[in-house]
Amino acid sequence: MIRTLADLLAPMTPEQFFAEYHDKQPLHLQGGAAKFASVLSWRQINRLLDQTHIWSSQSLKLVMDGNAVPPEQYCSRATSRDNAQTLQPEARMVSQWVARGASIVMNDVDSLTPGLAAVSDALEEAGLGKAQANVYISWQSHKAFPSHFDTHDVWAVQVEGEKTWNIWEGRADWPIPHPVFRSLGQAHHDQAKGKLRGKVTLKPGDLLYLPRGWYHDALAEAPASVHIAYGVHAPMGMDLLNMLVERVLYETEFRKPLPRQDGTAAARFALTSRAAQLGQRLSELTRDPKVMEVLAKFVADYRYRRGGNDLLAARGLAAPSIGEAGEAEGAAFRIVAPGTKAVRRGAEWVVKAPAGALSLQPAEAEAANWLLARPDGTEAELRQAHPAVDAAALLQRLAESGLLVAV
């Protein structure tokens, strides 16, 4: 599980990242299939999509070869849980578009599972800003978006398949989510992106960091690709201006009318003098300890609030154990060494694992091969398929050997 920025960046240290890359240049880190296995899986994606009432044409979008699919072509009109009319994605229509190669974008998912939230929390705990996440599901040879920049830092976490990113030399000058930057046409982007800086292929467990404004585009290389793009919005100088607007409400001089303009030099001089006077006061306020204290707290607390609910603890009650809670599926897992198989070596069965060879009993070998041929699963599914095997014990041994991880 990712818990800190150090976990996210490993093997690079946060100190090296801030010294050489943060807000300076792109970074690609290889991590291995197990690194982000607990963040998201196909099983979790399908479960999230099946929570139909949380999705709308805004939170779930389809993109076909660079063009947004009109909501009416994958949504049907529905009544939300609060009796509002909405356009709700319909599984049958979404599947038809996916069959044609449309990419799926699941917006604002950073609080929907513990794994997704963990990466956001790690970024925010490091003081990088508010971390929002979108899931991008794409298919081989279908590009969702042309070359573009984002108005926030991008942390791309690859969880399934492979995706090749074109990283261009061009960088927009610290853009913000404002029509001034959002209205730039594709012709502008194609010229401003400059020459190709390099190509980066992300594999499961890889991380790509792109500073705000850096031009890029991407294309799936495997039959399917899933990455989570964490958009990290740092506090800006404009936030100080907004804070000062609130502060000067209590300043008489800022509430007075500006000098009337009648076209004379004297009137223009009076306006210039007043502007200088107000500017001087703003400068003084930026050195006011109380204002700076508020600003420092604003920057330190600049993050989203997610999670933290414990209703039983609020009543002074102990949480139930897993058995008492009646968790039907038991432990969930994800295979991180696909293609691995247990083979017979004389009188015993052996499976080669990252942590070394693992010896298995014949029944365990049969269960292990059934297990390792799947992308993921649960303890309950293993028990049902191979009731003669101690499912929990086998899962633990395979996890300790580095063949699967709990999710």
Side-chain angles (χ1 to χ4, degrees), residues 260-275:
R260 183 178 63 86
Q261 295 298 290
D262 58 8
T264 63
R268 187 58 178 269
F269 178 78
L271 181 62
T272 302
S273 298
R274 176 67 69 81

Side-chain angles (χ1 to χ4, degrees), residues 142-163:
H142 288 279
K143 182 181 290 188
F145 301 101
S147 300
H148 65 283
F149 61 75
D150 289 296
T151 58
H152 48 257
D153 283 6
V154 173
W155 295 71
V157 171
Q158 188 76 18
V159 295
E160 296 282 358
E162 298 181 7
K163 198 162 196 175

